Amino acid sequence: MDAVNINIEELEHLLRQAGNLFQDRTAAGQVQTKGIADYVTAVDYAVQQYIQEHLEASYPHIQFLSEEKANQEIDPSGLVWVLDPVDGTTNLIHDYHTSCISLALMGGGEVALGMIYNPYGKELFQAKKGGGSYLNGERITVSGATRMEESLIAIGTSPYLKEMADENFELFKRLFLDCQDIRRSGSAALDLTHVACGRLEGYFEIGLKIWDFAAGMLLVREAGGSVLDYSGAQADTSMVNNIVAGNSEICRLLASKYL
């Protein structure tokens, strides 16, 4: 599928404008609990509404899937926007400044376009299938590290699956002893951008939803990296997936030795 008819500059402007809504601390404090460690704020809804209205006006033929709406009507074989209006909602609630907007365009099970905007750092990541990955217009590539000893690895603690804590933290300890150090940001999408631009050598987490990883998966792959599932196969666009990402060598090591 080709995203050539999508106006990239229009989307960049849209995400930057929507990112201004993150500054509304009153709205960020209006919190609803969806499940264990799973929250939504008035900012999530405001960003989603703002982006959805603009996309539906400009691209009425494209379906819209988002974290904060029912998505039963979506036909995954057709064109569909995939939005996470606030990836890192818990961070937003605490004013931790590690949250972002993630937007992807998918069709037929493939990601054609991925964009992630960090409104705190004013960083806009963009990738088009077959066209490379970019940060604020500059080409980016994954790290060239080949050994765990020189690798900074991001972990996801899967806070919605606290019953996995013992297994997860045993794994984190093994990894910590082998790698340079580990990081935990609380935003899967941002961790994937950091892999794409070489700030991190790898990242992994279980139970990610499609809106968490669709855009970031394309960014990493177009930056020369790999995105696998925990079995070591190429990660697909299933609604829920276990994701491991990194440059090709570190991604392979993570999947084969630790996961």
Side-chain angles (χ1 to χ4, degrees):
M1 184 198 52
D2 193 354
V4 69
N5 295 321
I6 302 299
N7 187 326
I8 301 299
E9 290 184 359
E10 176 187 32
L11 292 183
E12 291 178 346
H13 179 72
L14 176 62
L15 294 192
R16 291 184 188 279
Q17 290 299 110
N20 292 329
L21 297 169
F22 281 51
Q23 304 303 319
D24 188 342
R25 293 305 305 155
T26 299
Q30 296 171 8
V31 182
Q32 299 175 37
T33 301
K34 299 190 291 181
I36 297 174
D38 191 6
Y39 309 102
V40 60
T41 73
V43 174
D44 296 69
Y45 288 126
V47 171
Q48 177 174 289
Q49 181 179 1
Y50 182 83
I51 292 176
Q52 182 175 2
E53 288 178 353
H54 283 75
L55 290 179
E56 289 181 343
S58 297
Y59 308 98
H61 60 294
I62 302 179
Q63 304 169 90
F64 182 80
L65 183 154
S66 183
E67 179 176 7
E68 311 305 342
K69 67 181 280 288
N71 296 298
Q72 295 92 332
E73 80 287 359
I74 299 296
D75 175 7
S77 67
L79 290 173
V80 54
W81 296 110
V82 180
L83 174 71
D84 192 341
V86 179
D87 188 66
T89 297
T90 303
N91 290 339
L92 180 73
I93 293 169
H94 290 271
D95 200 23
Y96 190 64
H97 287 209
T98 311
S99 309
C100 65
I101 303 169
S102 178
L103 179 67
L105 177 63
M106 288 177 28
E110 291 191 353
V111 184
L113 178 68
M115 303 180 75
I116 295 174
Y117 180 55
N118 172 2
Y120 302 104
K122 308 297 184 187
E123 292 186 328
L124 198 150
F125 295 83
Q126 183 261 118
K128 189 174 175 181
K129 187 173 177 61
S133 291
Y134 296 83
L135 166 55
N136 291 342
E138 298 292 327
R139 188 75 178 259
I140 56 174
T141 60
V142 295
S143 163
T146 59
R147 298 178 298 112
M148 294 304 297
E149 296 92 328
E150 57 182 338
S151 296
L152 184 63
I153 307 295
I155 61 172
T157 53
S158 307
Y160 316 142
L161 301 170
K162 290 187 184 285
E163 66 272 17
M164 299 290 294
D166 287 345
E167 180 179 339
N168 279 337
F169 280 84
E170 181 180 344
L171 166 61
F172 300 155
K173 180 181 178 180
R174 287 177 52 220
L175 179 66
F176 172 72
L177 292 173
D178 289 349
C179 72
Q180 199 170 63
D181 206 347
I182 58 176
R183 295 290 183 266
R184 164 62 171 151
S185 76
S187 168
L190 282 180
D191 285 338
L192 289 167
T193 67
H194 294 158
V195 171
C197 69
R199 296 170 183 166
L200 293 169
E201 276 65 46
Y203 159 73
F204 62 91
E205 187 163 8
I206 62 172
L208 292 180
K209 304 291 179 60
I210 186 63
W211 45 76
D212 297 318
F213 68 85
M217 180 166 66
L218 184 65
L219 280 163
V220 171
R221 287 173 172 167
E222 289 295 326
S226 297
V227 184
L228 308 175
D229 61 26
Y230 276 28
S231 73
Q234 292 296 315
D236 60 22
T237 53
S238 301
M239 279 297 296
V240 182
N241 217 328
N242 303 328
I243 295 293
V244 53
N247 70 43
S248 296
E249 181 64 21
I250 297 302
C251 190
R252 183 192 62 79
L253 277 173
L254 286 171
S256 62
K257 184 176 180 180
Y258 300 93
L259 305 176

